[in-house]
Amino acid sequence: GDSVTQMEGPVTLSEEAFLTINCTYTATGYPSLFWYVQYPGEGLQLLLKATKADDKGSNKGFEATYRKETTSFHLEKGSVQVSDSAVYFCALSERIGAGNMLTFGGGTRLMVKP
Amino acid sequence: NAGVTQTPKFQVLKTGQSMTLQCAQDMNHNSMYWYRQDPGMGLRLIYYSASEGTTDKGEVPNGYNVSRLNKREFSLRLESAAPSQTSVYFCASSEAGTSSYNEQFFGPGTRLTVL
């Protein structure tokens, strides 16, 4: 089946540093791609998404581009803040039966120090 | 709007006990999902309901049953809990499940420990 691989954490950065979290996927079709964020003690929230090749998703200063040729969807932010400390999950959406299933990577914990 | 709500927030069970996790959404979504989250493994789909009146197995259904009570509510039942079911359980919902780019909205989770 489809799968998602993302870099293991934790990633520790100083405030205002540049962030990259790598994500690659394997899929038989053309899935939609997502980044979700999980703050401590909370559920997952959608951060951004891209539905076709070369699409760029962006939100709150985060960006990711759907690269079909390298099967990648790397998350970037130019200047991180302490409030960005969280666990980030890359995911793809694939059809199952009458519905859709999200397949997640293992998550990357980001810690930003002041 | 409360979004997706789950009860309870925490639960401790002994091996062999049963319990039901409750989930409700107020966004008029057709599709609902149950995932479990284990360290380093992301979330894995247990069961889903593409629409009211239907339920289907996901990636890891063994040891669980579900009920789509109505459009709003989707419950997950553990008939005989095992330590391997210690996990954090998340319920999610989305609009009609035919489009792969529909966002799923997640509840706050239930942390379950089976002793």
Side-chain angles (χ1 to χ4, degrees):
Chain A
D2 296 358
S3 66
V4 175
T5 302
Q6 60 182 106
M7 61 190 288
E8 291 189 21
V11 174
T12 303
L13 296 173
S14 297
E15 208 164 23
E16 299 185 0
F18 185 85
L19 168 71
T20 300
I21 301 178
N22 290 337
C23 171
T24 57
Y25 67 91
T26 58
T28 51
Y30 299 96
S32 295
L33 301 174
F34 303 82
W35 276 101
Y36 278 83
V37 59
Q38 184 179 30
Y39 298 103
E42 298 184 10
L44 279 71
Q45 302 173 24
L46 179 67
L47 182 59
L48 53 84
K49 69 181 182 185
T51 59
K52 60 183 188 297
D54 300 324
D55 263 4
K56 178 187 280 190
S58 61
N59 186 26
K60 298 181 182 179
F62 291 89
E63 293 183 341
T65 301
Y66 191 140
R67 300 282 187 205
K68 185 164 163 285
E69 64 277 11
T70 55
T71 62
S72 65
F73 192 54
H74 304 322
L75 182 69
E76 296 181 336
K77 186 175 186 185
S79 176
V80 294
Q81 306 300 313
V82 172
S83 57
D84 294 327
S85 297
V87 181
Y88 293 82
F89 292 94
C90 184
L92 62 81
S93 179
E94 58 179 312
R95 290 289 302 273
I96 46 165
N100 285 286
M101 177 175 82
L102 287 175
T103 297
F104 288 88
T108 302
R109 181 176 300 277
L110 171 65
M111 295 189 291
V112 180
K113 298 187 173 179
Chain B
N1 279 355
V4 179
T5 56
Q6 294 181 235
T7 56
K9 220 172 162 54
F10 301 95
Q11 184 71 50
V12 178
L13 294 177
K14 294 181 180 177
T15 297
Q17 287 185 317
S18 62
M19 80 161 294
T20 300
L21 281 65
Q22 307 286 355
C23 173
Q25 52 91 10
D26 62 2
M27 295 174 283
N28 202 35
H29 285 164
N30 286 307
S31 300
M32 297 185 74
Y33 311 81
W34 276 105
Y35 291 88
R36 59 178 288 172
Q37 181 181 29
D38 300 297
M41 299 187 71
L43 280 73
R44 292 179 293 168
L45 183 67
I46 305 171
Y47 270 93
Y48 71 99
S49 171
S51 60
E52 186 179 356
T54 69
T55 60
D56 283 288
K57 295 178 181 178
E59 188 183 358
V60 289
N62 290 346
Y64 305 95
N65 284 302
V66 290
S67 295
R68 184 74 183 266
L69 304 169
N70 48 55
K71 191 171 185 180
R72 288 188 64 248
E73 298 172 287
F74 187 40
S75 62
L76 178 72
R77 183 160 178 85
L78 286 70
E79 290 292 349
S80 179
S84 60
Q85 294 179 304
T86 293
S87 188
V88 182
Y89 292 84
F90 288 100
C91 178
S93 71
S94 69
E95 294 179 12
T98 53
S99 172
S100 69
Y101 55 79
N102 282 336
E103 173 186 355
Q104 291 188 17
F105 293 80
F106 285 81
T110 294
R111 186 174 296 274
L112 175 67
T113 301
V114 183
L115 302 175

